[in-house]
């Protein structure tokens, strides 16, 4: 009889209990596909008495999750605790040092410590897998590291955070403003009680840095991701964008920049205007989508549920099945020592069109001040829209779209206007994605 693959599971939140439920429900199918049964040997979580909707009485319970790594009856540790450091990192290091495979959905830990863990796993001869850390149930890591392995990836970009995408697409559908939709997302469970990591782009930046490492064969540089979230996007921005033929989406983009003769890593997460005809414009709700462009394969689109217990548990168990089959490929598609150290790219020279929203007092001379700043910074204006009547504070929304200009020129215009009494709030600048 083929010996089962024994796993220990740390973290029994929605994803952890989803993993238990999936393994129990599809046990026979999983065993046939894996070539051996998958057996849960032990579990650990903070509260043993909590009702999680699954029967855990058949499994050994460890109060200390770190103890799972040293159990003799465990082949693979599944870490679903979360957090970039603390117990999750201790457990990950412990699992590898005890010769256990490691499966995790922890994008923060991988973004901060993935290179260290990958090198340790290679030295120990054990697998490290984290498909569920990026885009939930979408097999984008497998797609890049295996399906697109023969290609030089030129760019990878997409919608990497379901919370932000739900908020933006709901604002688009309803006309509601950001704060109201965020509250609704929290009520429905699409947003955390503290949504900062989501709405300020940090979660998407974690994922983007992982995708960039795999796509380009570079060392992780989460610290170099230029990040801006969606908390400053207004319903008026959504309305203006729609009138111009665009939707607003939080987009993470990574590419290799060779503009100055030296390869540098470009990584950015920020809201963009996306034209109606672009594939990402039709990604609504808490869905994720990743586009990869390779030199031979062309454009690939990965799309699906980016979070939730079912899709994320599915990705976790898929990694476990790979390990049961004996697959131990390099975590970042090539050995850790082969990953290239690359400096971050400057962005000022990048040329494109931008949407700029100004909040201004309703008085004469304001438009002249703004257009003068654009002129002095060599920013050519393609179109300009003023929204309706002043609000209760006597303010109006003024939006413009630039022609293609270097980003440094737009930054210079914003510098000229800084502190101007023609502005009542900091302008919002969003780049426009081409077709």
């Amino acid at each position: 009889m083929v010996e089962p693959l024994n796993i220990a599971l740390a973290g029994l939140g929605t994803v952890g209990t989803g993993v238990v439920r999936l393994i129990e429900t599809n046990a026979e199918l999983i065993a046939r596909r894996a070539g051996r049964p998958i057996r849960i040997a032990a579990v650990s979580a903070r509260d043993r008495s909590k009702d999680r909707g699954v029967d855990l009485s058949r499994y050994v319970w460890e109060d200390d999750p770190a103890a799972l790594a040293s159990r003799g009856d465990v082949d693979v540790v599944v870490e679903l605790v979360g957090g970039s450091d603390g117990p999750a990192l201790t457990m990950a290091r412990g699992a590898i040092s005890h010769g256990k495979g490691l499966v995790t959905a922890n994008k923060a830990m991988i973004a901060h410590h993935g290179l260290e863990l990958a090198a340790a796993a290679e030295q120990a001869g054990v697998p490290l897998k984290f498909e569920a850390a990026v885009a939930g149930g979408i097999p984008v890591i497998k797609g890049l590291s295996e399906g697109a392995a023969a290609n030089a990836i030129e760019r990878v970009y997409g919608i990497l955070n379901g919370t932000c995408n739900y908020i933006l697409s709901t604002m688009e559908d309803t006309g509601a403003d950001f704060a109201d939709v965020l509250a609704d997302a929290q009520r429905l469970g699409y947003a955390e009680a503290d949504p900062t990591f989501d709405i300020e782009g940090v979660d998407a930046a974690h994922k983007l840095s992982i995708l960039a490492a795999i796509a380009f064969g570079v060392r992780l540089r989460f610290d170099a991701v230029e990040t801006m979230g969606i908390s400053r996007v207004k319903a008026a921005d959504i309305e203006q964008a729609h009138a111009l033929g665009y939707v607003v989406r939080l987009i993470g983009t990574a590419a290799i920049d060779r503009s100055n003769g030296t390869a540098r890593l470009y990584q950015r997460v920020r809201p963009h205007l996306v034209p109606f005809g672009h594939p990402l414009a039709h990604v609504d709700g808490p869905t994720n989508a990743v586009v990869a462009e390779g030199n031979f394969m062309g454009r690939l689109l990965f799309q699906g549920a980016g979070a939730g217990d079912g899709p994320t548990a599915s990705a976790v168990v898929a990694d476990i099945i790979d390990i049961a089959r004996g697959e131990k490929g390099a975590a970042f598609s090539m050995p850790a020592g082969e990953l290239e150290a690359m400096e971050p790219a400057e962005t000022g020279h990048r040329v494109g069109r931008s949407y700029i929203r100004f909040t201004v007092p309703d008085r004469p001379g304001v438009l002249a001040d703004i257009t003068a700043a654009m002129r002095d910074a060599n920013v050519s204006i393609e179109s300009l829209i003023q929204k309706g009547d002043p609000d209760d504070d006597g303010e109006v929304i003024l939006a413009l779209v630039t022609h293609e200009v270097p980003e440094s020129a737009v930054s210079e215009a914003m510098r000229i206007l800084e502190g101007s009494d023609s502005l009542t709030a900091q302008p919002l600048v969003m780049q426009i994605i081409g077709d």
Side-chain angles (χ1 to χ4, degrees), residues 131 134-136 138-141 143-144 153 155-161 204 207-208 210-212 215 250-254 278-280 283 287-293 297-306:
E131 182 68 65
V134 179
I138 308 171
V140 63
I141 289 177
L144 290 176
I153 305 298
R155 183 168 62 140
V156 59
Y157 62 103
I159 295 168
L160 300 173
N161 184 271
K207 298 170 184 176
L208 183 69
I210 296 168
L211 288 178
L250 183 74
I251 304 292
T253 305
H278 194 283
L280 295 183
V283 179
T287 305
N288 283 191
V290 178
V291 179
E293 297 173 351
M297 69 187 184
R299 178 190 283 180
L300 292 181
L301 173 65
F302 303 87
Q303 181 175 338

Side-chain angles (χ1 to χ4, degrees), residues 1 62 110 155 178 198 264 269 294 303 324 346 348 371 381 389 397 413 418-419 426 428:
M1 179 177 291
E62 292 280 5
I110 296 299
R155 183 168 62 140
F178 173 82
D198 290 319
R264 292 177 178 268
V269 171
Q303 181 175 338
E346 299 291 336
T371 55
I381 299 173
D389 297 323
I397 298 295
E418 189 173 350
Q426 180 185 358
L428 175 67

Side-chain angles (χ1 to χ4, degrees), residues 117-135:
L117 295 174
E122 289 169 22
Q123 185 173 3
V126 298
L128 166 63
K129 292 187 175 290
F130 43 84
E131 182 68 65
V134 179

Side-chain angles (χ1 to χ4, degrees), residues 347-352 378-379 404-411:
T347 59
H349 67 279
R350 300 182 73 87
V351 175
N378 292 316
V379 176
E404 289 200 348
V405 296
E407 290 186 14
S408 58
V410 175
S411 298

Side-chain angles (χ1 to χ4, degrees), residues 19 28 71 86 143 170 210 212 287 363 376 409 430:
V19 169
E28 182 180 347
R71 290 185 62 91
T170 302
I210 296 168
T287 305
R363 63 169 176 77
D376 293 345
M430 294 189 283

Side-chain angles (χ1 to χ4, degrees), residues 89-375:
L89 184 59
T90 298
M91 188 190 327
R93 288 169 171 164
I96 293 170
S97 68
H98 283 89
K100 317 293 186 188
L102 177 65
V103 174
T104 180
N106 190 337
K107 82 278 292 184
M109 182 178 71
I110 296 299
H112 286 276
H113 304 288
L115 188 62
E116 171 209 328
L117 295 174
E122 289 169 22
Q123 185 173 3
V126 298
L128 166 63
K129 292 187 175 290
F130 43 84
E131 182 68 65
V134 179
I138 308 171
V140 63
I141 289 177
K142 185 181 286 287
L144 290 176
S145 59
E146 297 180 15
N151 280 254
I153 305 298
E154 297 163 349
R155 183 168 62 140
V156 59
Y157 62 103
I159 295 168
L160 300 173
N161 184 271
T163 298
C164 288
N165 207 57
Y166 171 82
I167 291 172
L168 291 172
S169 58
T170 302
M171 290 171 68
E172 179 185 321
D173 292 341
T174 65
D177 225 326
F178 173 82
D180 296 328
V181 179
L182 172 59
D184 186 52
Q186 289 172 313
R187 181 181 60 81
L188 294 172
Y190 291 138
E192 301 287 343
D194 180 0
T196 304
F197 265 37
D198 290 319
I199 65 173
E200 298 304 337
V202 178
D203 175 81
H206 284 144
K207 298 170 184 176
L208 183 69
S209 66
I210 296 168
L211 288 178
I214 294 168
F216 310 128
V218 297
R219 294 188 179 187
L220 286 151
R221 285 300 307 267
F222 166 71
D223 63 309
V225 182
E226 180 189 321
T227 306
M228 184 177 84
I230 66 168
S231 58
R232 295 180 55 226
V233 176
K234 296 177 177 289
D237 298 314
I238 306 284
E239 181 182 342
Q240 304 286 35
H242 196 271
L244 294 165
Y246 301 94
V247 298
V248 178
R249 296 288 184 266
L250 183 74
I251 304 292
T253 305
I256 302 299
D257 188 321
R258 295 184 174 85
S259 59
N260 65 355
T262 303
R264 292 177 178 268
L265 180 60
Y266 169 73
Q267 300 178 103
R268 170 183 280 172
V269 171
R270 63 188 306 159
H272 285 70
L273 269 64
V274 181
F276 288 159
H278 194 283
L280 295 183
H282 307 285
V283 179
D284 296 323
T287 305
N288 283 191
V290 178
V291 179
E293 297 173 351
N295 63 338
F296 274 72
M297 69 187 184
R299 178 190 283 180
L300 292 181
L301 173 65
F302 303 87
Q303 181 175 338
D309 57 344
T312 308
S314 178
V316 169
V317 176
D319 278 346
I320 297 170
I321 290 172
D322 279 350
I323 294 173
R325 292 168 173 166
E327 298 176 14
K328 295 184 180 180
F332 291 96
S333 78
M334 62 179 66
E338 295 293 322
L339 296 172
E340 184 178 357
M342 195 170 287
E343 290 300 311
E346 299 291 336
T347 59
H349 67 279
R350 300 182 73 87
V351 175
R353 297 163 64 229
S354 295
Y355 165 94
I356 310 173
R357 181 252 292 153
F358 301 95
T359 307
V360 302
D362 183 34
R363 63 169 176 77
V366 167
L367 181 57
D369 288 345
I370 291 173
T371 55
M374 298 294 129
R375 177 201 64 212

